[in-house]
Amino acid sequence: MTIPSAEGFLQASSCLPCTAEEERELVAALAKEAEENVKDGDLRYLVSQSWWLEWQQYVGLVRHEENDTEQLPQAMNRPGEIDNSKLVSAETIVGSEEPELQRTLREGQDYTLVPQEVWRRLYEWYKGGPAISRKVILDSHGAHKSYIVDVYPLCLKLIDGRDNSERNIRISRKAKIHELYSMVCSLMSVEQSEIVIWDYYQKSKSKKLSNLNETLDEASITMDQEILLEMKLDGCSTGSSTRSTNNELALIPLGPSTSSFSIAGGPTYSNGFSSGIGSSFSQDNSFSPLLRDSTDGYNSFSNGTKDDTHGLSGLHNLGNTCFMNSAIQSLVHTPPLVEYFLEDYSREINTENPLGLQGELAIAFGELLRKLWSSGRTSVAPRAFKSKLSRFAPQFSGYNQHDSQELLAFLLDGLHEDLNRVKKKPYIEAKDADGRPDDEFAEECWNYHKARNDSIIVDKFQGQYKSTLVCPVCNKISVTFDPFMYLSLPLPSKVTRMITVTVFSGVGDALPMPFTVTVQKNGNCRDLIKVLTDVCCLKSSETLLLAEVYDRRIYRYLTNPVEGLYTIKDEDILVAYRLPVGHEKLLRLEILHRRADRFAADPQFNINRKLIGCPLITCIPNDSTGKSDIYAAVSAVLVPFLRAKAHGPDVSAVKLNGNGPSLDGIVLTDNGTTSEEGLSTSSGDDNAVDDELLPFQLSLTDEKGIVRNPINTDSNHVLGLVMRVSMDWSDREREMYNMDYMDELPEVFKPGFFSKKTRQEAVNLFSCLDAFLKEEPLGPDDMWYCPGCKEHRQASKKLDLWRLPEILVVHLKRFSYSRYMKNKLDTFVNFPIHDLNMSKYVKQTPKGAQQPMYELYAVINHYGGLGGGHYSAYAKLVEEDNWYHFDDSHVSSVNEDEIRTSAAYVLFYRRVGGSNTVADDVPIDIEMVDSLETAP
């Protein structure tokens, strides 16, 4: 569809659009024009995602049924007022005309962004609110230019040093320091020449904000932190009641954190910027790796006594940063990394690598590691490190919860690029094995990889896969050897669940029957249909259409065979309809039921009438949509529900039943047409059936059963592949049919009083490895192009571990994601702490080398679910041989037998024994660590 310009729309009509189609096309035109002419300072408005989805369905932009890919949008009711109330909190910002956003919103799930003109039109049509606008910001670096929407600007606590009064201000994190000064001067009625503003994180003077061209993000100013306003007096700032020195880097310990926002946990929210327009963070190339970053923003506290224990410093939670803290603690307790960053690593900083951050990320990590390993410290605020990480991986900007393993992967990659010893990567053309031995080809692939990637990260963390693909047609074998940084292992589960499904006949030859079957808990809809097919004794010409019923209507069809069964809850109601094979090419007739009584003549009652019973489904030929055809099909599928006394007296019912469809006779030809052997509908002479003789009353309706349209005698036009009709149930119909069989259907699973609770089954790490390395076919969306067949094939794939790294990182895949929902597995994994023997799984072992044995030294834990969770870490101090729990700022000792829990998410192992070992590493140089305390 060609979208006309907004100007053309406005010229064509001076009145507001009054139809759904006109609304759709005008909004599309306005949105297109806004995106094509986007500029710095434009406004984008937040709209509740639930309301936006209702509007899209109303105007036909989205289909209500995701699985009806060929169905045109159905007519929906016009939505009510725009309701953004769930997007805002009760708190307000002083001087702001807009309400404060909830901190846990996700773009695409909680809200969508629309241009200003689109919001204006929507508000004119629907009213409501409140209006929530955010600015579009130009983010450019060199020739690169992109736009971002600052959904979550910084909320800062401005403290007036003259009287210690406080007020909150809101400003973009991409704003320059001079813009902050202008805002403060306007609010406080002071002149810029008279004031100085301090980074006052944790109410301690960290640094003076004097670089007016620096952005707040670059200055490491974080959400909800304090900034201090001081008046200049004789060239010096004064007015603060806190102690300070002339040295801006002197940190005065004043007490614990007073941050008002420190949420540990939560789902994966959108970051502070909208991803709708995209974000790109500029990089300052004028960076000297030999100079310490004076804007690191670190703030540490001492208990007043010297602590000779090293490596026990906690990390402040900057606001949903427990995911980052847990990953950092695991890495800074990795012995090879500790040794590396405690020494002079500046000679390996790669300032020329365009894939890195010119060494800034590596230096920020090194500085953070040194501070964490300095004695006498209880906690460190990793603000500067987070700022550098956000520049390398913008998705981690803002202060929302993310996946710790994803951050770990990006961090290791960023450190590698900043420390890559290869300054100019050579071009190397990939070669095939050409029948060469695996040893020779694997070594060649590894050397090619090392020629472009050579760093401490590669040395310690990277291993090598062997991947084998086999074509199912020509048996062509393709072998590749690829590097890996960590192993992502699935959690095999033998836990089963019972699912009850009520099976209906689509031909009217049997009453509905509930079946309770046992399936794998982590199975999919294909597994459920397969076991139902067996217990139902389905004919070869039949298949099952699985659906979920909610509020007496079809809520969704489960037609995706690979959709996980975890999307089905115990309290759901599942039904399955026996239909002919190839029913997708027929017209699906969906029958809803509504109560009819003495109020049936009341139009208002007809609108509000509730549905009853369970929908019935049958199929009719696409060209048989006349009134008698529809009545015949409905009569046929209702035959099993006829009461005994109703079989004789109603002649019209018998007549129509005899003309109903016989699904056994439907044969689908290759071109999709139907050959109706026994599928008879009413003849042309029967089309003029007298309404008074009809056995029941039918109307065309929508999916909610609200709309009531008369059924035409000749034919009824249908959009898509589904025709919905509603049947009115009066006393006459209830006397004729027994509706009890389609009422009060059983839930998927309802445990009885004496039923035993299913115990969570435990698995061990080796079964996870077996599941990861087993041969399996590629998915339909991941087809392999076979060089033999010259076509895409669903090949079988087999992974093998060829070369193991010194540091083995194991990621347990507890989180699963689908289009409709997310899920977390709390399965307990029994993993070894000592003597993890990998000899069974590794294919290549150098001659004379000992068995690949590993010992655990760190664990990242995730507690809670997706709706709100928390990360922490266990780490072992090698020189002490003791385990500790690192929970943000809090650090405590823990027994070794306590670290195996169902919360374990990422495991860190180090190889022991042999020539390339870390078990016999030289103990960390404590004198070197102690010397860091006096370092600048």
Side-chain angles (χ1 to χ4, degrees), residues 621-669:
N622 293 275
D623 56 353
S624 299
T625 59
K627 186 171 185 177
S628 58
D629 300 319
I630 296 172
Y631 270 85
V634 175
S635 296
V637 80
L638 284 173
V639 166
F641 303 93
L642 277 170
R643 299 182 188 273
K645 63 180 181 180
H647 277 283
D650 197 299
V651 178
S652 60
V654 174
K655 176 183 177 183
L656 288 174
N657 287 337
N659 287 329
S662 172
L663 298 186
D664 289 336
I666 297 181
V667 178
L668 292 177
T669 61

Side-chain angles (χ1 to χ4, degrees), residues 315-329:
L315 287 166
H316 290 177
N317 191 314
L318 304 178
N320 277 339
T321 55
C322 58
F323 74 97
M324 181 184 74
N325 293 347
S326 59
I328 292 174
Q329 291 288 11

